[in-house]
Amino acid sequence: MMKLRHLLAAALLPSFAFAQDAQIDRKVNELLKKMTLEEKVGQLHQLSGRQFTGPESSKFADKLADIRAGKVGSMLNVKGVAETREIQALALQSRLRIPLLFSLDVIHGYKTTFPVPLGEAASWDLEAIEQGARVAAIEAAASGIHWTFAPMVDISRDPRWGRVMEGAGEDTYLGSQIARARVKGFQTSKLGGTDAIMATAKHFAAYGAAIAGRDYNAVDMSEQQLHEVYLPPFKAALDAGAATFMNSFNTLNGIPATGSAHLQRDILKGEWKFKGLVVSDWASIKEMVPHGYAADLADAATRALNAGSDIDMEGYAYTKHLADAVKSGKVQAKLLDDAVRRVLVKKFELGLFDDPYRFSDAAREQAALNDPKHREIARDVARKSMVLLKNDNNALPLAAGAKRIAVIGPLADSKRDLEGGWVVQGERADVVSILEGIRRRAGSATVTHAAACAPGCATMDGLDAAVAAAKDADVVVLAIGETWDMSGEAKSRTDIGVPGQQNKLFEAIKATGKPVVVVMLAGRPLIFNTIADQADAILYAWFPGTEGGNAVADVLFGDYNPSGKLPVTFPRNMGQLPLSYAQYSTGRPVLDEKNIVYKSAYIDSVNTPRYAFGHGLSYTSFRYSGASLSSNTMRPGQSITLSFDIANSGKAAGTETVQLYIRDLVSSVVRPLKELKGFQQVRLQPGEQRRISFTIDRNTLSFFNTQLKWGAEPGDFKLMVGSASDDIRAELPLRLLEK
Ligand code: BGC
């Protein structure tokens, strides 16, 4: 009986959704008929609350007056039940009583701070990533927030760009899977619940390819690169139901993305049939003037709306000039209506016309922000995000015999630096520092501490005390790296070495002869060759969030066997940038590092990275064997299976992320030497073995061709499986037949 009811409900669901959509359409049409031109423009005007995440604009009191007058459609940087209620009440004094949308950069948690997105990506654990977004959504939604400006799905291959911290790294396939997981986590399967918030796929598009890694800089790339590398994560977010998109600050091939009809009208709203709304980035409509693309603010308003930007965030172009542009015919009234419709539909879908305060509930806010489960989840995601880069002579996990542990370094007892950028409601006192985490776990071992210098380590006055502490210990845990504000928006760096005096600190500690376990915090890949050569172990912990110190201790003491893998290449030096594992072949490839004359090489560095994409060690080892294909030829329309055995050949239970790469050997467009096309996580007990399979179909072999279409070409391919992009354990040939 129960089953039958479920089946019936499932069968009725699509028609119910359809009826609901039709009802919303009708209501929006009725409302649009009642609206004046100015009220319509108001729905497209978005203002920041008291806090600023971009250049400051007008006075807060003026903004409140505009809200009351129905001239504002949404706010950002307003949060909490009390504040959202207070401001919503003003919107309800306007003539048509249209509620506001409250949006916020909930990037890696609301009150419970999770690892920064690049760190989460290093878990390669889609369920964990989705859970992280779920917790953020539950906390934010209970605090009056309807809409987050996340996930950032920009691919980036240049760690000079500070915003690599906010994305999923360099790879299109991995980035697309993570985009989907994050959207699902924020939005659930359907908007409308008071535990779900709208997601934003940003920044549309190609923002991560800023020339020389300088934030807000121009982008120039072929249409093929755009479609093949940079757009798929956006498409994945859209397919997962992303309610909104944000455009970007950069120009793309000479056109500001905000003013690009090609991106927003042709691709997003045309080819991809996106029905949600597009918000500009902070003042990016206005910034088309300094770009030299719009003559003045009025021209910018016309260009942006015509190009498909629906909401003007803090740019004042629409509020000041859009009505005139419609009156003079520069913008067609139907385009304005389309933009307004997109905003109103979302307000209906969220249920705000029925109850404008339904997200702002004090009891729910209290419960959500104090739910202990959220911290447990954050701890789990944090330990999954950490990547064991190096572990010589099993320096880790810390031996039970280590009775004296010196926890040294400027980040050892820092709380702020564990949180990273974009902390919205997190409380500093809640953060567990690395020192605290180690102390809680160390049992009868003695834990000493010496900072040596302040975070950033510009000067070092505590070196002697640090060296003395090291000499007195059985093992040193050295916590160094970037401070929280060195990665993120507007945090591009020309030197991504370990900042300040920290290399000197490492060398002095290493000189004591004690085993040195480095815990590195950062929002991007850093360059640290001496440390990489000489440290006994290196755990890359990113900015791990509220539970960071506990998570570090879990890994150091072996309560959690590290499973993270790099979602981004770690270069050896700055001159290699931008750098990705998905290199193209050249006519003069380096086949042997000793023979580089007239080869595509540097005379002062090898081409290979310091740590490759997909790299990450474990306290156990995994053996791959018996790889086979169900057939080594494939007809179009068919699929084949690649299988192999994986065994835990070490002594600890552990999780391996097996990676599938392909290479198209000859094709009408030169292909990368390796492209990730699949991955799976396998947890195995010592001695346990399992057979893994991947399905390969035409889709797996497709690329964006010279006709600007996706397709696979008949011919020979190489399939590779392994533990990292530079640790391939089996290679198999495959031929795609003509028919
Ligand atoms: C950033 C966006 C962010 C917005 C609002 C901009 O400067 O580029 O990612 O969502 O500010 O804070």
Coordinates of all heavy atoms in Angstrom, one line a residue, residues 201 203-205 223 226 231 234 238 245-250 252 255-281 284-285 288 293 300-312 318 335 338 342:
A201 N 25.8 30.1 -9.8 CA 26.9 29.6 -10.5 C 27.7 30.9 -11.0 O 27.2 31.7 -11.7 CB 26.5 28.8 -11.7
H203 N 31.8 32.7 -11.8 CA 31.5 34.0 -12.4 C 31.5 33.8 -13.9 O 32.5 33.4 -14.5 CB 32.5 35.1 -12.0 CG 32.7 35.3 -10.6 ND1 33.5 34.5 -9.8 CD2 32.1 36.1 -9.7 CE1 33.5 34.8 -8.5 NE2 32.7 35.8 -8.4
F204 N 30.3 34.0 -14.5 CA 30.1 33.7 -15.9 C 30.7 34.8 -16.8 O 30.1 35.8 -16.9 CB 28.6 33.5 -16.1 CG 28.2 32.7 -17.3 CD1 28.6 31.4 -17.5 CD2 27.5 33.3 -18.3 CE1 28.2 30.7 -18.6 CE2 27.1 32.6 -19.5 CZ 27.5 31.3 -19.6
A205 N 31.7 34.5 -17.5 CA 32.5 33.3 -17.5 C 34.0 33.6 -17.8 O 34.4 34.7 -18.2 CB 32.0 32.5 -18.7
E223 N 37.4 30.1 -28.6 CA 36.0 29.6 -28.3 C 36.1 28.1 -27.9 O 35.3 27.7 -27.0 CB 35.2 29.8 -29.6 CG 33.7 29.8 -29.4 CD 33.2 31.0 -28.6 OE1 33.9 32.0 -28.4 OE2 32.0 30.9 -28.2
L226 N 37.1 27.9 -24.2 CA 36.0 28.4 -23.4 C 35.0 27.2 -23.3 O 34.5 26.9 -22.1 CB 35.3 29.6 -24.1 CG 34.1 30.1 -23.5 CD1 34.4 30.8 -22.1 CD2 33.4 31.2 -24.4
L231 N 33.4 26.4 -19.6 CA 32.0 26.4 -19.5 C 31.3 25.1 -18.9 O 30.3 25.2 -18.2 CB 31.3 26.7 -20.8 CG 31.5 28.1 -21.4 CD1 30.7 28.3 -22.7 CD2 31.2 29.2 -20.4
F234 N 29.7 25.3 -15.4 CA 28.5 26.1 -15.4 C 27.3 25.3 -15.9 O 26.2 25.4 -15.3 CB 28.7 27.4 -16.3 CG 29.6 28.4 -15.6 CD1 31.0 28.5 -16.0 CD2 29.1 29.3 -14.7 CE1 31.8 29.4 -15.4 CE2 30.0 30.2 -14.1 CZ 31.3 30.3 -14.4
L238 N 23.9 24.3 -13.9 CA 22.6 24.6 -14.5 C 21.8 23.3 -14.5 O 20.6 23.3 -14.1 CB 22.8 25.2 -15.9 CG 21.5 25.6 -16.6 CD1 21.8 26.8 -17.5 CD2 21.0 24.5 -17.5
F245 N 22.7 32.8 -11.8 CA 24.1 32.9 -12.3 C 24.6 34.3 -12.0 O 23.8 35.2 -12.0 CB 24.1 32.7 -13.9 CG 24.4 31.3 -14.3 CD1 23.6 30.2 -13.9 CD2 25.4 31.0 -15.2 CE1 23.8 28.9 -14.3 CE2 25.6 29.7 -15.6 CZ 24.8 28.7 -15.2
M246 N 25.9 34.4 -11.8 CA 26.5 35.8 -11.7 C 27.5 35.9 -12.8 O 28.2 35.0 -13.1 CB 27.2 35.9 -10.3 CG 27.8 37.3 -10.1 SD 28.8 37.4 -8.6 CE 27.6 37.2 -7.3
N247 N 27.4 37.1 -13.5 CA 28.4 37.3 -14.5 C 29.7 37.8 -13.9 O 29.9 37.8 -12.7 CB 27.9 38.2 -15.6 CG 27.4 39.6 -15.1 OD1 28.0 40.1 -14.2 ND2 26.4 40.1 -15.7
S248 N 30.7 38.2 -14.7 CA 32.0 38.4 -14.1 C 32.6 39.8 -14.5 O 32.1 40.4 -15.4 CB 32.9 37.3 -14.5 OG 33.0 37.1 -15.9
F249 N 33.6 40.1 -13.8 CA 34.3 41.4 -13.9 C 35.1 41.5 -15.2 O 35.4 42.6 -15.7 CB 35.3 41.6 -12.8 CG 34.6 41.9 -11.4 CD1 34.9 41.1 -10.3 CD2 33.7 43.0 -11.2 CE1 34.3 41.3 -9.1 CE2 33.2 43.2 -10.0 CZ 33.4 42.4 -8.9
N250 N 35.6 40.3 -15.7 CA 36.6 40.4 -16.7 C 36.0 40.6 -18.1 O 34.8 40.4 -18.3 CB 37.3 39.0 -16.8 CG 36.3 37.8 -16.9 OD1 35.7 37.5 -16.0 ND2 36.2 37.3 -18.1
L252 N 36.1 39.2 -21.9 CA 36.4 37.9 -22.6 C 36.6 38.2 -24.0 O 35.6 38.6 -24.7 CB 35.3 36.9 -22.3 CG 35.5 35.5 -23.1 CD1 36.7 34.8 -22.7 CD2 34.3 34.6 -22.9
I255 N 35.3 41.7 -24.8 CA 33.9 42.2 -24.4 C 33.7 41.9 -22.9 O 33.9 40.8 -22.4 CB 32.8 41.3 -25.1 CG1 33.1 41.1 -26.6 CG2 31.4 41.9 -24.9 CD1 32.9 42.3 -27.5
P256 N 33.4 42.9 -22.1 CA 33.1 42.6 -20.7 C 32.0 41.6 -20.6 O 31.0 41.6 -21.3 CB 32.6 44.0 -20.1 CG 33.1 45.0 -21.1 CD 33.2 44.3 -22.4
A257 N 32.2 40.6 -19.7 CA 31.3 39.5 -19.6 C 29.9 40.0 -19.3 O 28.9 39.5 -19.7 CB 31.8 38.5 -18.5
T258 N 29.9 41.1 -18.5 CA 28.6 41.7 -18.1 C 27.8 42.2 -19.3 O 26.6 42.3 -19.2 CB 28.9 42.8 -17.1 OG1 29.7 42.3 -16.0 CG2 27.7 43.5 -16.5
G259 N 28.5 42.6 -20.3 CA 27.9 43.2 -21.5 C 27.9 42.2 -22.6 O 27.7 42.6 -23.8
S260 N 28.1 40.9 -22.3 CA 28.3 40.0 -23.4 C 27.0 39.3 -23.7 O 26.5 38.4 -23.0 CB 29.4 38.9 -23.0 OG 29.3 37.9 -24.0
A261 N 26.4 39.6 -24.9 CA 25.2 38.9 -25.3 C 25.5 37.5 -25.7 O 24.7 36.6 -25.6 CB 24.5 39.7 -26.5
H262 N 26.7 37.3 -26.2 CA 27.2 36.0 -26.6 C 27.1 35.0 -25.4 O 26.5 33.9 -25.5 CB 28.6 36.1 -27.2 CG 29.2 34.7 -27.5 ND1 28.6 33.8 -28.3 CD2 30.3 34.1 -27.1 CE1 29.3 32.7 -28.4 NE2 30.4 32.9 -27.7
L263 N 27.6 35.5 -24.3 CA 27.6 34.6 -23.1 C 26.2 34.4 -22.5 O 25.7 33.3 -22.3 CB 28.5 35.1 -22.0 CG 30.0 35.0 -22.2 CD1 30.8 35.7 -21.1 CD2 30.4 33.5 -22.2
Q264 N 25.6 35.6 -22.3 CA 24.3 35.6 -21.5 C 23.1 35.3 -22.3 O 22.2 34.5 -21.9 CB 24.2 36.9 -20.8 CG 25.3 37.1 -19.8 CD 25.3 38.5 -19.2 OE1 25.1 38.6 -18.0 NE2 25.6 39.5 -20.0
R265 N 23.0 35.8 -23.5 CA 21.8 35.6 -24.3 C 21.9 34.4 -25.2 O 21.1 33.5 -25.2 CB 21.4 36.8 -25.2 CG 21.0 38.0 -24.4 CD 19.6 38.5 -24.8 NE 19.2 39.6 -24.0 CZ 18.4 39.6 -23.0 NH1 17.8 38.5 -22.6 NH2 18.1 40.7 -22.3
D266 N 23.1 34.3 -26.0 CA 23.2 33.2 -26.9 C 23.4 31.9 -26.2 O 22.7 30.9 -26.4 CB 24.4 33.4 -27.9 CG 24.2 34.7 -28.7 OD1 23.1 35.2 -28.6 OD2 25.1 35.1 -29.3
I267 N 24.4 31.8 -25.3 CA 24.7 30.5 -24.7 C 23.8 30.3 -23.5 O 23.0 29.3 -23.5 CB 26.2 30.5 -24.2 CG1 27.1 30.6 -25.4 CG2 26.5 29.2 -23.4 CD1 28.6 30.7 -25.1
L268 N 23.8 31.1 -22.5 CA 23.1 30.8 -21.3 C 21.6 30.7 -21.4 O 20.9 29.7 -21.1 CB 23.5 31.8 -20.2 CG 22.9 31.6 -18.8 CD1 23.2 30.2 -18.2 CD2 23.4 32.7 -17.8
K269 N 21.0 31.8 -21.9 CA 19.6 31.9 -22.0 C 19.0 31.3 -23.3 O 17.9 30.9 -23.4 CB 19.1 33.3 -21.8 CG 19.3 33.9 -20.4 CD 18.9 35.3 -20.3 CE 19.0 35.8 -18.8 NZ 18.7 37.3 -18.7
G270 N 19.9 31.2 -24.3 CA 19.5 30.7 -25.6 C 19.8 29.2 -25.6 O 18.9 28.4 -25.3
E271 N 21.0 28.8 -26.0 CA 21.3 27.4 -26.2 C 21.0 26.5 -24.9 O 20.5 25.4 -25.0 CB 22.8 27.4 -26.5 CG 23.3 26.1 -27.2 CD 24.9 26.2 -27.3 OE1 25.4 27.3 -27.6 OE2 25.5 25.3 -26.9
W272 N 21.3 27.1 -23.8 CA 21.2 26.3 -22.5 C 19.8 26.4 -21.9 O 19.4 25.8 -20.9 CB 22.2 26.7 -21.5 CG 23.6 26.3 -21.8 CD1 24.1 25.7 -23.0 CD2 24.8 26.6 -21.0 NE1 25.4 25.6 -22.9 CE2 25.9 26.1 -21.7 CE3 25.0 27.2 -19.8 CZ2 27.2 26.2 -21.2 CZ3 26.3 27.3 -19.3 CH2 27.4 26.8 -20.0
K273 N 19.0 27.4 -22.4 CA 17.6 27.6 -22.0 C 17.5 27.9 -20.5 O 16.6 27.3 -19.8 CB 16.7 26.3 -22.3 CG 16.7 26.0 -23.8 CD 15.7 24.9 -24.1 CE 15.4 24.7 -25.5 NZ 16.6 24.4 -26.4
F274 N 18.4 28.6 -20.0 CA 18.4 29.0 -18.5 C 17.2 29.9 -18.2 O 17.0 30.9 -18.8 CB 19.7 29.7 -18.2 CG 19.8 30.2 -16.7 CD1 19.7 29.3 -15.7 CD2 19.9 31.5 -16.5 CE1 19.8 29.8 -14.4 CE2 20.0 32.0 -15.2 CZ 20.0 31.1 -14.1
K275 N 16.4 29.4 -17.2 CA 15.2 30.2 -16.9 C 15.3 31.0 -15.6 O 14.5 31.8 -15.2 CB 14.0 29.2 -16.6 CG 13.6 28.4 -17.9 CD 12.7 29.3 -18.8 CE 12.3 28.6 -20.0 NZ 13.4 28.5 -21.0
G276 N 16.5 30.9 -14.9 CA 16.7 31.6 -13.7 C 17.1 33.0 -14.0 O 17.0 33.5 -15.1
L277 N 17.7 33.7 -12.9 CA 18.1 35.1 -13.1 C 19.6 35.2 -13.1 O 20.3 34.4 -12.5 CB 17.5 35.9 -12.0 CG 17.9 35.8 -10.6 CD1 19.1 36.6 -10.3 CD2 16.7 36.1 -9.7
V278 N 20.1 36.3 -13.8 CA 21.5 36.6 -13.9 C 21.7 37.9 -13.1 O 21.1 38.9 -13.4 CB 22.0 36.8 -15.3 CG1 23.5 37.1 -15.3 CG2 21.7 35.6 -16.2
V279 N 22.6 37.8 -12.1 CA 23.0 39.0 -11.3 C 24.3 39.4 -11.8 O 25.2 38.6 -12.1 CB 22.9 38.7 -9.8 CG1 23.9 37.6 -9.4 CG2 23.2 40.0 -9.0
S280 N 24.5 40.8 -11.8 CA 25.9 41.3 -12.2 C 26.8 41.0 -11.0 O 26.4 40.7 -9.9 CB 25.8 42.8 -12.5 OG 25.8 43.5 -11.2
D281 N 28.1 41.1 -11.3 CA 29.0 41.1 -10.1 C 29.0 42.5 -9.6 O 28.4 43.5 -10.2 CB 30.4 40.6 -10.4 CG 31.1 40.1 -9.2 OD1 30.6 40.4 -8.1 OD2 32.1 39.4 -9.3
S284 N 29.7 45.6 -11.6 CA 30.3 45.3 -12.9 C 29.6 45.9 -14.1 O 30.3 46.1 -15.2 CB 30.4 43.7 -13.1 OG 29.2 43.2 -13.3
I285 N 28.4 46.3 -13.9 CA 27.7 47.1 -15.0 C 28.4 48.5 -15.1 O 28.8 48.9 -16.2 CB 26.2 47.2 -14.8 CG1 25.6 45.7 -14.8 CG2 25.5 48.1 -15.8 CD1 24.1 45.6 -14.6
M288 N 31.8 48.8 -16.8 CA 32.0 48.8 -18.2 C 32.5 50.2 -18.8 O 32.9 50.3 -19.9 CB 30.7 48.3 -18.9 CG 30.5 46.9 -18.7 SD 29.4 46.1 -19.9 CE 27.9 46.9 -19.5
Y293 N 34.2 50.3 -22.6 CA 33.2 49.6 -23.4 C 31.9 50.4 -23.5 O 31.2 50.4 -24.5 CB 33.0 48.2 -22.9 CG 32.1 47.3 -23.7 CD1 32.6 46.8 -24.9 CD2 30.8 47.0 -23.3 CE1 31.8 46.0 -25.7 CE2 30.0 46.2 -24.1 CZ 30.5 45.7 -25.3 OH 29.7 44.9 -26.1
A300 N 26.1 52.0 -20.2 CA 26.3 50.8 -19.5 C 25.0 50.0 -19.2 O 24.9 48.8 -19.4 CB 27.2 51.0 -18.2
A301 N 24.0 50.8 -18.7 CA 22.8 50.2 -18.3 C 22.1 49.5 -19.6 O 21.7 48.4 -19.5 CB 21.8 51.2 -17.7
T302 N 22.1 50.3 -20.6 CA 21.5 49.8 -21.9 C 22.2 48.5 -22.3 O 21.6 47.5 -22.7 CB 21.6 50.8 -23.0 OG1 20.9 52.0 -22.5 CG2 21.0 50.4 -24.3
R303 N 23.5 48.6 -22.4 CA 24.3 47.4 -22.9 C 24.1 46.2 -22.0 O 24.0 45.1 -22.5 CB 25.8 47.8 -23.0 CG 26.1 48.7 -24.1 CD 27.6 49.1 -24.1 NE 27.8 50.1 -25.2 CZ 28.0 49.8 -26.4 NH1 28.1 48.5 -26.8 NH2 28.2 50.7 -27.3
A304 N 24.1 46.4 -20.7 CA 24.1 45.2 -19.8 C 22.7 44.6 -19.9 O 22.6 43.3 -20.0 CB 24.3 45.7 -18.4
L305 N 21.6 45.4 -19.9 CA 20.3 44.7 -20.0 C 20.1 44.0 -21.3 O 19.6 42.9 -21.4 CB 19.2 45.7 -19.7 CG 17.9 44.8 -19.4 CD1 17.5 44.8 -17.9 CD2 16.8 45.0 -20.3
N306 N 20.5 44.7 -22.4 CA 20.3 44.1 -23.7 C 21.1 42.8 -23.8 O 20.8 41.9 -24.5 CB 20.7 45.1 -24.8 CG 19.6 46.1 -25.0 OD1 18.5 45.9 -24.6 ND2 20.0 47.3 -25.6
A307 N 22.3 42.8 -23.1 CA 23.1 41.6 -23.1 C 22.6 40.5 -22.2 O 23.2 39.4 -22.3 CB 24.6 42.0 -22.8
G308 N 21.6 40.7 -21.4 CA 21.1 39.7 -20.6 C 21.4 39.7 -19.1 O 21.2 38.7 -18.4
S309 N 22.0 40.8 -18.6 CA 22.2 40.9 -17.1 C 20.9 41.4 -16.5 O 20.5 42.5 -16.8 CB 23.3 42.0 -16.8 OG 24.5 41.5 -17.3
D310 N 20.4 40.6 -15.6 CA 19.1 40.9 -15.1 C 19.1 41.9 -13.9 O 18.4 42.8 -13.8 CB 18.3 39.6 -14.6 CG 18.1 38.7 -15.8 OD1 17.8 39.2 -16.9 OD2 18.3 37.5 -15.7
I311 N 20.0 41.6 -12.9 CA 20.1 42.4 -11.7 C 21.4 43.2 -11.7 O 22.4 42.7 -12.0 CB 20.0 41.5 -10.4 CG1 18.5 41.0 -10.3 CG2 20.3 42.3 -9.2 CD1 18.3 40.2 -9.1
D312 N 21.3 44.4 -11.3 CA 22.5 45.3 -11.2 C 22.8 45.4 -9.7 O 22.2 46.0 -8.9 CB 22.1 46.7 -11.7 CG 23.2 47.7 -11.6 OD1 24.3 47.4 -11.2 OD2 22.9 48.9 -11.9
Y318 N 21.1 50.7 -13.5 CA 19.7 50.5 -13.8 C 18.8 51.5 -13.1 O 17.9 52.0 -13.7 CB 19.3 49.0 -13.4 CG 19.8 48.0 -14.3 CD1 20.6 48.3 -15.4 CD2 19.5 46.6 -14.1 CE1 21.1 47.3 -16.3 CE2 20.0 45.6 -14.9 CZ 20.8 45.9 -16.0 OH 21.2 44.9 -16.8
L335 N 12.2 43.1 -23.0 CA 13.4 42.6 -22.4 C 13.4 43.0 -20.9 O 13.9 42.2 -20.1 CB 14.6 43.2 -23.1 CG 15.0 42.6 -24.5 CD1 16.4 43.1 -24.9 CD2 15.0 41.0 -24.4
D338 N 11.1 40.6 -19.2 CA 11.7 39.3 -19.0 C 12.6 39.3 -17.8 O 12.6 38.3 -17.0 CB 12.5 38.9 -20.3 CG 13.2 37.6 -20.2 OD1 12.5 36.6 -20.0 OD2 14.5 37.6 -20.1
R342 N 12.0 37.1 -14.3 CA 12.9 36.1 -13.7 C 13.1 36.3 -12.2 O 13.3 35.4 -11.4 CB 14.3 36.2 -14.4 CG 14.2 35.6 -15.8 CD 15.5 36.0 -16.6 NE 15.4 35.6 -18.0 CZ 15.8 34.4 -18.5 NH1 16.4 33.5 -17.7 NH2 15.6 34.1 -19.8

